[in-house]
Amino acid sequence: MQILQAPRFFTFPSHKPSRGLPKNHHLSFPHLAGNLSIAGKFVVKSVSSDEFPVDETFLENFGPKDKETEDEARRRNWIERGWAPWEEILTPEADFARKSLNEGEEVPLKTPEAVEAFKMLNPKYRRKKMEESGLTEDEWYAKQFEIKGEIPEPVRTFWNGPLVVRHVPPRDWPPRGWEVDRKELAFIREAHKLQAVRVDSKELESARTNADDMNLERYKMFLKQYNEWAEQNKDRLEEESFQDDQDYHPGRRKRGKDYKEGMYELPFYYPGQICAGKVTTLHLYQGAFVDIGGVYDGWVPIKGNDWFWIRHHIRVGMHVIVEILAKRDPYRFRFPIEMRFVDPNIDHLIFNRFDFPPIFHRDEDTNPDELRRDCGRPPIPKKDPGIKVEEEPLLSNHPYVDKLWQIHVAEQMILDDVEVNPHKYEGKKLSELTDDEEFDEQNSIEYTKVYYKKSLLPKKILKTSVKELDLEAALAEREGLKRTPRYMMLGRSDLREGQRVLIVMSDRTLIPPRVFLRLYTLYMDLTDIPYKIHGCYHNKLRKEAKERGEEYKIHKLRRNIEMDEYDLIHWRRSFEEREALIRDISCRRALGLPLEEPGKLVDASYFGKGQYDPQNPLYRYDYWGEPKNSEKSKQERMTDAHNKSIVGKGTVWYEMSYEDAIKQRMQREARAKEMRKDAAEGDEEDEDEDDDDDDDFDFSILGDSTVDYSNQPIVNGTESSRMSDEGMFEN
């Protein structure tokens, strides 16, 4: 087949072709010959199977135009469509809301400053002003970002008297788990008694620099013990810091390159201590951080809009005097040292206080109540369920009972397999059996699905290790039960008067193990009839009972006894817990203390409407909406109920208001009463009483000629029934 060589660029002929193909235009496609012949004056530049010449008007409108650039075409498209990509695309509602903000009128700019600011929005005018002022663009923008307004005067701290700084050891020394000499500790703690001594400010007017006659022996003793502790524990503390604080945050413990020898650890500081430091960080949402020479920077809580007043008075790098307000656990609280500024004193400029200091949330924090108690925060209020715990029934369902039952079922399944396939266990002891595959306790429960009568039902497979089973004891117990006669022959002397015994036990009956256990236990409890058990295990127990002078009988199986023991343990624990709770309640009432933690349980009215309540069906994932309780929906429901109540009458199904329906109903009832009254006066004495029920039906509605049947609505997709004989006698 020949290939028609077409030029690379697609062009159209210069002459005007006719609407259809020319008369002398002939295309021949012989499939067998494989050559292409084109006849006529038409010059072919490019041909495809679905392409034919088009007229000039089509080309003028839709052909490529090289005269217009891409930018011009894009701009023309924006103008024609009436919007550009950088303009806001508003919905009609938003456009109306925006235009109606000023009641449809633009407020004219009145002040010269406003007019000038509006003019500066124009880039040309702005550039012109820059040239007139002689500033470069960078200088002009830098000027715009300068602080506008008056910078306030620096805060001056006024002192009522001299600042008294004492060298007192901390009251919480030594740290937990650190042993020190008891005599030295008693000597150190005598310094705390000296804090109660009053100091006359008149005697302290002149500052002293000579500390020779000052009594610093107790403080020096504390420093000696502190240095010993720091030398032993600083490496451990740094390692724990690397484990707990992976991310950097202001106020984090200094470690690695940031740590310098001689930095004070947390036990060195105590609340009330006055320190001199240097501001290191200012944080918009957390506050200021001051370096006071320790491994932790002190935290001054400042947040939000308070920085507007404080920003001129506190700067990074300035030297300040601070007072420690609190010292906290560094593994729980984000900033262990909380402080306030003493010089410059800016307490009067802080309005937004932190409710609680920020904390770390660890992975092991599973109990929120324990966490908030640890952090000193109030309880989260919960809805009072109105249940008295001390009046609740005692529990006797030990969680290990289910595991025991699982073990018992596994034992019985293995023993059943031993009976069915004894060749598999030849030469093996039951106590030496091992698991076929490695037992994984974490994946011991497997959830699958299985078909039962064409229904796919969930199935749970419980895997048990052979090591947990006591197969020898289970086998001995089974042997003892097997040697028991299938049907016990009981004499009259063995039966009490009027007692009936039904024996359902059989060694060949297939009963589920748990049902068998319960049936067997119930049977033994009901009959209470002694009988002899053969077998080594029960024989031994029988002999022991005989030696004690007792008669041996099996009341329960071994696993039943274990389950009851665990349930009894659980019941005792529940009983003791309730006793302790009752004692606690009585003691609290005697002392006048609240029974619950204040603020933990509150009334339902505390939450108001729209608050999250997990007990409320409104917050279920499959909840479809609130019940209709409004007045309008009540009217709709009453109308709906009225309509549904009269559907059976058929001819009364039409739209009406509820009031009209009630009026018509009252009128019908009144007419029915009148009819009954008239009928009662005209009735004869010998008329049957059974016919009185016919008067209850309102026959007037059947013959009401005012009802228009043509516009009856369709109910449930069908027209309501009419009184008609049409089609009654047709086959």
Side-chain angles (χ1 to χ4, degrees), residues 163-174:
L163 181 65
V164 179
V165 180
R166 291 174 174 173
H167 285 295
V168 182
R171 289 179 180 267
D172 59 351
W173 179 260

Side-chain angles (χ1 to χ4, degrees), residues 171-185:
R171 289 179 180 267
D172 59 351
W173 179 260
R176 185 178 297 174
W178 183 255
E179 297 293 335
V180 296
D181 188 22
R182 291 187 174 275
K183 292 183 180 179
E184 292 181 357
L185 184 60

Side-chain angles (χ1 to χ4, degrees), residues 160-208:
N160 279 336
L163 181 65
V164 179
V165 180
R166 291 174 174 173
H167 285 295
V168 182
R171 289 179 180 267
D172 59 351
W173 179 260
R176 185 178 297 174
W178 183 255
E179 297 293 335
V180 296
D181 188 22
R182 291 187 174 275
K183 292 183 180 179
E184 292 181 357
L185 184 60
F187 178 67
I188 289 172
R189 286 181 174 171
E190 288 178 7
H192 301 141
K193 300 176 183 177
L194 300 177
Q195 285 186 297
V197 178
R198 289 184 175 272
V199 179
D200 190 1
S201 59
K202 295 179 181 178
E203 300 176 0
L204 302 173
E205 287 180 0
S206 57
R208 293 191 304 171

Side-chain angles (χ1 to χ4, degrees), residues 166-444:
R166 291 174 174 173
H167 285 295
V168 182
R171 289 179 180 267
D172 59 351
W173 179 260
R176 185 178 297 174
W178 183 255
E179 297 293 335
V180 296
D181 188 22
R182 291 187 174 275
K183 292 183 180 179
E184 292 181 357
L185 184 60
F187 178 67
I188 289 172
R189 286 181 174 171
E190 288 178 7
H192 301 141
K193 300 176 183 177
L194 300 177
Q195 285 186 297
V197 178
R198 289 184 175 272
V199 179
D200 190 1
S201 59
K202 295 179 181 178
E203 300 176 0
L204 302 173
E205 287 180 0
S206 57
R208 293 191 304 171
T209 57
N210 186 13
D212 294 339
D213 57 343
M214 294 180 66
N215 190 7
L216 295 177
E217 285 80 7
R218 294 179 178 83
Y219 193 73
K220 290 176 182 176
M221 183 68 70
F222 158 71
L223 286 179
K224 180 181 79 71
Q225 292 187 0
Y226 164 79
N227 290 329
E228 293 174 359
W229 176 87
E231 190 66 29
Q232 294 287 332
N233 292 276
K234 65 179 181 180
D235 295 335
R236 176 184 61 84
L237 293 172
E238 185 168 353
E239 185 179 346
E240 290 177 357
S241 174
F242 272 109
Q243 293 174 357
D244 294 332
D245 294 344
Q246 298 292 336
D247 301 326
Y248 173 79
H249 57 86
R252 188 188 68 175
R253 179 187 172 90
K254 297 169 187 171
R255 61 200 189 198
K257 296 179 181 178
D258 298 332
Y259 181 81
K260 295 178 182 176
E261 202 64 36
M263 282 186 169
Y264 293 113
E265 297 286 347
L266 208 56
F268 179 82
Y269 299 103
Y270 61 91
Q273 193 171 3
I274 304 293
C275 303
K278 180 181 177 182
V279 180
T280 57
T281 310
L282 300 181
H283 197 286
L284 176 62
Y285 301 108
Q286 292 175 349
F289 296 88
V290 182
D291 181 10
I292 52 175
V295 292
Y296 292 98
D297 284 348
W299 170 57
V300 182
I302 306 168
K303 66 175 182 177
N305 294 338
D306 289 348
W307 279 114
F308 180 81
W309 315 102
I310 299 171
R311 58 190 169 140
H312 304 296
H313 309 305
I314 301 296
R315 300 274 187 176
V316 173
M318 70 183 297
H319 293 272
V320 293
I321 299 175
V322 290
E323 178 188 359
I324 297 176
L325 298 179
K327 181 176 73 169
R328 302 187 175 95
D329 180 11
Y331 302 106
R332 172 56 64 198
F333 292 90
R334 202 172 183 83
F335 314 121
I337 301 177
E338 183 180 346
M339 304 186 302
R340 74 177 186 92
F341 286 114
V342 175
D343 184 26
N345 187 4
I346 57 167
D347 287 349
H348 61 289
L349 299 177
I350 298 177
F351 302 97
N352 301 320
R353 302 282 179 178
F354 277 76
D355 295 332
F356 309 104
I359 62 173
F360 289 113
H361 287 273
R362 311 285 184 193
D363 293 337
E364 55 269 16
D365 297 333
T366 55
N367 189 347
D369 287 334
E370 187 178 336
L371 175 63
R372 63 164 184 78
R373 286 194 205 100
D374 191 23
C375 303
R377 303 191 177 193
I380 300 171
K382 296 179 182 177
K383 186 178 176 183
D384 190 359
I387 298 172
K388 293 184 178 180
V389 186
E390 64 273 11
E391 296 178 2
E392 288 294 298
L394 297 175
L395 301 174
S396 61
N397 50 345
H398 198 283
Y400 189 64
V401 168
D402 292 333
K403 180 67 176 175
L404 268 177
W405 176 244
Q406 180 184 341
I407 290 173
H408 169 75
V409 171
E411 289 173 350
Q412 299 303 318
M413 289 174 68
I414 291 177
L415 294 180
D416 290 342
D417 191 48
V418 170
E419 290 182 359
V420 175
N421 305 312
H423 60 277
K424 286 170 57 178
Y425 301 91
E426 286 181 3
K428 294 183 182 178
K429 291 184 179 179
L430 291 177
S431 58
E432 297 175 357
L433 294 179
T434 57
D435 298 320
D436 294 338
E437 56 186 27
E438 189 175 352
F439 180 70
D440 185 8
E441 190 172 356
Q442 292 184 348
N443 302 320
S444 61

Side-chain angles (χ1 to χ4, degrees), residues 572-613:
R572 279 178 183 160
R573 184 183 299 144
S574 177
F575 178 75
E576 290 167 3
E577 285 178 359
R578 192 171 73 172
E579 291 293 315
L581 182 64
I582 292 173
R583 282 197 302 271
D584 182 58
I585 289 172
S586 59
C587 292
R588 284 175 178 270
R589 282 179 177 160
L591 297 173
L593 297 174
L595 300 183
E596 285 288 343
E597 191 174 356
K600 186 176 182 181
L601 297 178
V602 294
D603 192 60
S605 60
Y606 171 86
F607 297 100
K609 290 186 178 180
Q611 292 287 335
Y612 173 69
D613 181 12

Side-chain angles (χ1 to χ4, degrees), residues 95-139:
D95 189 42
F96 172 77
R98 183 174 178 180
K99 290 176 180 175
S100 62
L101 284 175
N102 295 326
E103 298 179 358
E105 298 178 1
E106 290 187 3
V107 180
L109 302 174
K110 296 179 180 179
T111 60
E113 292 84 3
V115 174
E116 182 67 19
F118 185 76
K119 286 181 179 179
M120 289 294 284
L121 295 175
N122 191 345
K124 284 185 180 179
Y125 187 81
R126 194 187 316 141
R127 209 173 294 115
K128 179 183 172 185
K129 282 291 182 182
M130 286 183 198
E131 293 172 358
E132 289 178 1
S133 61
L135 298 173
T136 63
E137 191 173 357
D138 294 339
E139 292 173 348

